[in-house]
Amino acid sequence: MVKAINAAAQGTGRISVSAIARHAGVDRTFLYRHPDLLALVHAAETEPAQQGPAGSVTVSCASLRADLAHAQARNTRLAARIQLLERRLSSELGEQAWRESGLEIPPTSTRSSAGSPA
């Protein structure tokens, strides 16, 4: 089990409970029943790979969390922008439908002549 964790930490595999269990040939529940091994897996997950494939960039957990925070903030901004554009589109389509329906209020001159006693 420790060999599988070390191999994944050296950059030869993905570090997760499932991946380590698969590499070691055991069920995931085995790791969950052995808290000491599970702690090793979680520690290996949070540390950057000690050596990656040639030319690869080592990524730390902190940089991934920062990327995630930036992506979530961007998603929030984009969702607000989408809502604004949807409201504008709804308003424009509503006005267009109103004009095309023929239910427009008559011009002021027509209304005044229709309402005045002649």
Side-chain angles (χ1 to χ4, degrees), residues 39-117:
L40 288 174
V41 172
H42 289 307
E45 284 177 326
T46 59
E47 295 174 9
Q50 293 173 1
Q51 102 186 26
S56 72
V57 177
T58 302
V59 179
S60 70
C61 188
S63 69
L64 291 174
R65 285 194 175 119
D67 288 346
L68 176 61
H70 291 297
Q72 288 172 333
R74 183 170 188 261
N75 284 347
T76 301
R77 288 190 309 273
L78 289 173
R81 178 71 175 156
I82 287 170
Q83 287 179 348
L84 171 72
L85 292 173
E86 285 175 342
R87 283 192 300 268
R88 285 178 49 195
L89 178 62
S90 177
S91 176
E92 290 295 323
L93 289 175
E95 287 179 20
Q96 179 184 1
W98 180 259
R99 284 190 304 271
E100 291 175 0
S101 71
L103 297 174
E104 263 188 294
I105 299 173
T108 309
S109 60
T110 310
R111 190 176 351 150
S112 63
S113 63
S116 63

Side-chain angles (χ1 to χ4, degrees), residues 16-39:
S16 70
V17 173
S18 296
I20 298 297
R22 192 176 319 110
H23 188 270
V26 298
D27 191 63
R28 289 180 311 158
T29 58
F30 178 83
L31 287 170
Y32 289 109
R33 286 191 310 260
H34 294 85
D36 54 331
L37 294 175
L38 186 62

Side-chain angles (χ1 to χ4, degrees), residues 1-12:
M1 186 61 62
V2 175
K3 282 183 182 180
I5 295 170
N6 289 335
Q10 294 296 322
T12 59

